[in-house]
Amino acid sequence: MPDPEPNSVFMKENTFPPGWDSKRVSKVLAHYETQTEDDALAEDEAAFEIDGQTMIEVPTELVPAIRKLLARHKAA
């Protein structure tokens, strides 16, 4: 019997968040894989200028709790 593919033991079926599919993932990957450094920097800087949003630095260990809080806020 032939050996399995090197990563096949670890491979599993892809699951996507609600509203996402393989086509959407491919489109996002293509965007970032073809983006220049200057374009990436401009995109990052633009994120800090969005009205109604605030960018803050938080300790990494708080990120899961913050994500839960944001999900509850969005669902409300």
Side-chain angles (χ1 to χ4, degrees), residues 15-35:
T15 56
F16 302 107
W20 285 75
D21 58 19
S22 60
K23 184 177 179 180
R24 185 172 179 185
V25 170
S26 295
K27 186 177 177 179
V28 171
L29 285 173
H31 169 78
Y32 287 107
E33 288 173 347
T34 60
Q35 193 175 48

mmCIF file of all heavy atoms in Angstrom, residues 15-35:
data_model
loop_
_atom_site.group_PDB
_atom_site.id
_atom_site.type_symbol
_atom_site.label_atom_id
_atom_site.label_comp_id
_atom_site.label_asym_id
_atom_site.label_seq_id
_atom_site.Cartn_x
_atom_site.Cartn_y
_atom_site.Cartn_z
ATOM 1 N N THR A 15 -13.799 24.546 6.033
ATOM 2 C CA THR A 15 -15.052 25.128 6.485
ATOM 3 C C THR A 15 -14.872 26.630 6.468
ATOM 4 O O THR A 15 -13.803 27.139 6.809
ATOM 5 C CB THR A 15 -15.428 24.645 7.893
ATOM 6 O OG1 THR A 15 -14.362 24.925 8.797
ATOM 7 C CG2 THR A 15 -15.718 23.159 7.912
ATOM 8 N N PHE A 16 -15.885 27.334 6.049
ATOM 9 C CA PHE A 16 -15.802 28.778 5.908
ATOM 10 C C PHE A 16 -16.797 29.447 6.852
ATOM 11 O O PHE A 16 -17.839 28.882 7.160
ATOM 12 C CB PHE A 16 -16.110 29.190 4.468
ATOM 13 C CG PHE A 16 -15.196 28.565 3.448
ATOM 14 C CD1 PHE A 16 -15.641 27.557 2.620
ATOM 15 C CD2 PHE A 16 -13.879 28.982 3.333
ATOM 16 C CE1 PHE A 16 -14.805 26.980 1.677
ATOM 17 C CE2 PHE A 16 -13.026 28.416 2.394
ATOM 18 C CZ PHE A 16 -13.491 27.411 1.568
ATOM 19 N N PRO A 17 -16.478 30.665 7.250
ATOM 20 C CA PRO A 17 -17.439 31.420 8.064
ATOM 21 C C PRO A 17 -18.704 31.693 7.246
ATOM 22 O O PRO A 17 -18.680 31.623 6.011
ATOM 23 C CB PRO A 17 -16.709 32.743 8.359
ATOM 24 C CG PRO A 17 -15.291 32.522 8.001
ATOM 25 C CD PRO A 17 -15.255 31.407 7.009
ATOM 26 N N PRO A 18 -19.799 32.023 7.923
ATOM 27 C CA PRO A 18 -21.028 32.337 7.188
ATOM 28 C C PRO A 18 -20.782 33.423 6.136
ATOM 29 O O PRO A 18 -20.111 34.420 6.391
ATOM 30 C CB PRO A 18 -21.977 32.853 8.281
ATOM 31 C CG PRO A 18 -21.467 32.216 9.539
ATOM 32 C CD PRO A 18 -19.975 32.116 9.369
ATOM 33 N N GLY A 19 -21.304 33.202 4.940
ATOM 34 C CA GLY A 19 -21.154 34.164 3.855
ATOM 35 C C GLY A 19 -19.885 33.993 3.034
ATOM 36 O O GLY A 19 -19.682 34.693 2.053
ATOM 37 N N TRP A 20 -19.020 33.083 3.423
ATOM 38 C CA TRP A 20 -17.771 32.860 2.701
ATOM 39 C C TRP A 20 -17.842 31.521 1.976
ATOM 40 O O TRP A 20 -18.509 30.598 2.408
ATOM 41 C CB TRP A 20 -16.578 32.853 3.669
ATOM 42 C CG TRP A 20 -16.208 34.206 4.144
ATOM 43 C CD1 TRP A 20 -16.866 34.971 5.064
ATOM 44 C CD2 TRP A 20 -15.085 34.978 3.737
ATOM 45 N NE1 TRP A 20 -16.220 36.162 5.249
ATOM 46 C CE2 TRP A 20 -15.118 36.198 4.444
ATOM 47 C CE3 TRP A 20 -14.053 34.757 2.840
ATOM 48 C CZ2 TRP A 20 -14.156 37.182 4.277
ATOM 49 C CZ3 TRP A 20 -13.102 35.738 2.676
ATOM 50 C CH2 TRP A 20 -13.155 36.933 3.390
ATOM 51 N N ASP A 21 -17.109 31.436 0.860
ATOM 52 C CA ASP A 21 -16.954 30.188 0.127
ATOM 53 C C ASP A 21 -15.570 30.187 -0.518
ATOM 54 O O ASP A 21 -14.815 31.158 -0.380
ATOM 55 C CB ASP A 21 -18.064 30.002 -0.913
ATOM 56 C CG ASP A 21 -18.133 31.126 -1.933
ATOM 57 O OD1 ASP A 21 -17.147 31.885 -2.094
ATOM 58 O OD2 ASP A 21 -19.177 31.254 -2.591
ATOM 59 N N SER A 22 -15.229 29.132 -1.196
ATOM 60 C CA SER A 22 -13.883 29.032 -1.775
ATOM 61 C C SER A 22 -13.628 30.131 -2.810
ATOM 62 O O SER A 22 -12.505 30.620 -2.933
ATOM 63 C CB SER A 22 -13.638 27.656 -2.384
ATOM 64 O OG SER A 22 -14.577 27.391 -3.402
ATOM 65 N N LYS A 23 -14.669 30.551 -3.543
ATOM 66 C CA LYS A 23 -14.497 31.610 -4.525
ATOM 67 C C LYS A 23 -14.113 32.926 -3.835
ATOM 68 O O LYS A 23 -13.210 33.641 -4.296
ATOM 69 C CB LYS A 23 -15.781 31.784 -5.329
ATOM 70 C CG LYS A 23 -15.673 32.786 -6.445
ATOM 71 C CD LYS A 23 -16.964 32.850 -7.253
ATOM 72 C CE LYS A 23 -16.840 33.880 -8.354
ATOM 73 N NZ LYS A 23 -18.067 33.959 -9.152
ATOM 74 N N ARG A 24 -14.788 33.236 -2.740
ATOM 75 C CA ARG A 24 -14.483 34.483 -2.018
ATOM 76 C C ARG A 24 -13.076 34.428 -1.422
ATOM 77 O O ARG A 24 -12.334 35.405 -1.466
ATOM 78 C CB ARG A 24 -15.518 34.720 -0.926
ATOM 79 C CG ARG A 24 -15.344 36.050 -0.226
ATOM 80 C CD ARG A 24 -16.487 36.353 0.698
ATOM 81 N NE ARG A 24 -16.274 37.629 1.362
ATOM 82 C CZ ARG A 24 -17.058 38.121 2.289
ATOM 83 N NH1 ARG A 24 -18.148 37.463 2.659
ATOM 84 N NH2 ARG A 24 -16.777 39.266 2.853
ATOM 85 N N VAL A 25 -12.705 33.285 -0.876
ATOM 86 C CA VAL A 25 -11.360 33.123 -0.309
ATOM 87 C C VAL A 25 -10.309 33.303 -1.401
ATOM 88 O O VAL A 25 -9.310 34.006 -1.205
ATOM 89 C CB VAL A 25 -11.207 31.746 0.379
ATOM 90 C CG1 VAL A 25 -9.762 31.466 0.746
ATOM 91 C CG2 VAL A 25 -12.100 31.670 1.616
ATOM 92 N N SER A 26 -10.533 32.707 -2.561
ATOM 93 C CA SER A 26 -9.580 32.843 -3.671
ATOM 94 C C SER A 26 -9.430 34.297 -4.098
ATOM 95 O O SER A 26 -8.322 34.756 -4.401
ATOM 96 C CB SER A 26 -10.034 32.000 -4.861
ATOM 97 O OG SER A 26 -9.995 30.640 -4.522
ATOM 98 N N LYS A 27 -10.544 35.019 -4.126
ATOM 99 C CA LYS A 27 -10.509 36.430 -4.516
ATOM 100 C C LYS A 27 -9.693 37.257 -3.518
ATOM 101 O O LYS A 27 -8.873 38.095 -3.913
ATOM 102 C CB LYS A 27 -11.942 36.969 -4.609
ATOM 103 C CG LYS A 27 -12.042 38.363 -5.141
ATOM 104 C CD LYS A 27 -13.508 38.792 -5.283
ATOM 105 C CE LYS A 27 -13.604 40.218 -5.748
ATOM 106 N NZ LYS A 27 -14.993 40.653 -5.908
ATOM 107 N N VAL A 28 -9.888 37.009 -2.222
ATOM 108 C CA VAL A 28 -9.130 37.735 -1.195
ATOM 109 C C VAL A 28 -7.645 37.384 -1.286
ATOM 110 O O VAL A 28 -6.786 38.268 -1.226
ATOM 111 C CB VAL A 28 -9.689 37.439 0.214
ATOM 112 C CG1 VAL A 28 -8.790 38.002 1.301
ATOM 113 C CG2 VAL A 28 -11.099 38.013 0.354
ATOM 114 N N LEU A 29 -7.343 36.102 -1.441
ATOM 115 C CA LEU A 29 -5.940 35.685 -1.573
ATOM 116 C C LEU A 29 -5.280 36.351 -2.778
ATOM 117 O O LEU A 29 -4.155 36.845 -2.687
ATOM 118 C CB LEU A 29 -5.835 34.171 -1.687
ATOM 119 C CG LEU A 29 -6.043 33.390 -0.405
ATOM 120 C CD1 LEU A 29 -6.080 31.889 -0.698
ATOM 121 C CD2 LEU A 29 -4.972 33.707 0.619
ATOM 122 N N ALA A 30 -5.980 36.374 -3.900
ATOM 123 C CA ALA A 30 -5.424 36.995 -5.111
ATOM 124 C C ALA A 30 -5.148 38.476 -4.871
ATOM 125 O O ALA A 30 -4.113 39.003 -5.295
ATOM 126 C CB ALA A 30 -6.382 36.822 -6.282
ATOM 127 N N HIS A 31 -6.052 39.149 -4.159
ATOM 128 C CA HIS A 31 -5.859 40.573 -3.856
ATOM 129 C C HIS A 31 -4.558 40.794 -3.087
ATOM 130 O O HIS A 31 -3.743 41.630 -3.456
ATOM 131 C CB HIS A 31 -7.048 41.105 -3.055
ATOM 132 C CG HIS A 31 -6.826 42.469 -2.477
ATOM 133 N ND1 HIS A 31 -6.922 43.613 -3.237
ATOM 134 C CD2 HIS A 31 -6.496 42.876 -1.229
ATOM 135 C CE1 HIS A 31 -6.677 44.668 -2.472
ATOM 136 N NE2 HIS A 31 -6.417 44.244 -1.252
ATOM 137 N N TYR A 32 -4.379 40.036 -2.011
ATOM 138 C CA TYR A 32 -3.210 40.264 -1.164
ATOM 139 C C TYR A 32 -1.916 39.710 -1.758
ATOM 140 O O TYR A 32 -0.844 40.246 -1.508
ATOM 141 C CB TYR A 32 -3.453 39.721 0.247
ATOM 142 C CG TYR A 32 -4.425 40.607 0.991
ATOM 143 C CD1 TYR A 32 -5.719 40.209 1.239
ATOM 144 C CD2 TYR A 32 -4.044 41.885 1.395
ATOM 145 C CE1 TYR A 32 -6.618 41.043 1.892
ATOM 146 C CE2 TYR A 32 -4.933 42.728 2.044
ATOM 147 C CZ TYR A 32 -6.209 42.297 2.293
ATOM 148 O OH TYR A 32 -7.085 43.139 2.921
ATOM 149 N N GLU A 33 -2.002 38.652 -2.553
ATOM 150 C CA GLU A 33 -0.801 38.093 -3.162
ATOM 151 C C GLU A 33 -0.249 38.974 -4.280
ATOM 152 O O GLU A 33 0.933 38.915 -4.593
ATOM 153 C CB GLU A 33 -1.074 36.679 -3.678
ATOM 154 C CG GLU A 33 -1.233 35.680 -2.545
ATOM 155 C CD GLU A 33 -1.666 34.298 -3.013
ATOM 156 O OE1 GLU A 33 -2.076 34.150 -4.183
ATOM 157 O OE2 GLU A 33 -1.596 33.376 -2.191
ATOM 158 N N THR A 34 -1.097 39.800 -4.878
ATOM 159 C CA THR A 34 -0.646 40.655 -5.970
ATOM 160 C C THR A 34 -0.451 42.109 -5.536
ATOM 161 O O THR A 34 -0.035 42.940 -6.336
ATOM 162 C CB THR A 34 -1.640 40.622 -7.148
ATOM 163 O OG1 THR A 34 -2.925 41.075 -6.700
ATOM 164 C CG2 THR A 34 -1.762 39.215 -7.716
ATOM 165 N N GLN A 35 -0.723 42.397 -4.286
ATOM 166 C CA GLN A 35 -0.632 43.760 -3.775
ATOM 167 C C GLN A 35 0.828 44.189 -3.615
ATOM 168 O O GLN A 35 1.651 43.432 -3.116
ATOM 169 C CB GLN A 35 -1.349 43.809 -2.420
ATOM 170 C CG GLN A 35 -1.621 45.182 -1.907
ATOM 171 C CD GLN A 35 -2.434 45.134 -0.619
ATOM 172 O OE1 GLN A 35 -2.091 44.385 0.283
ATOM 173 N NE2 GLN A 35 -3.487 45.915 -0.548
#
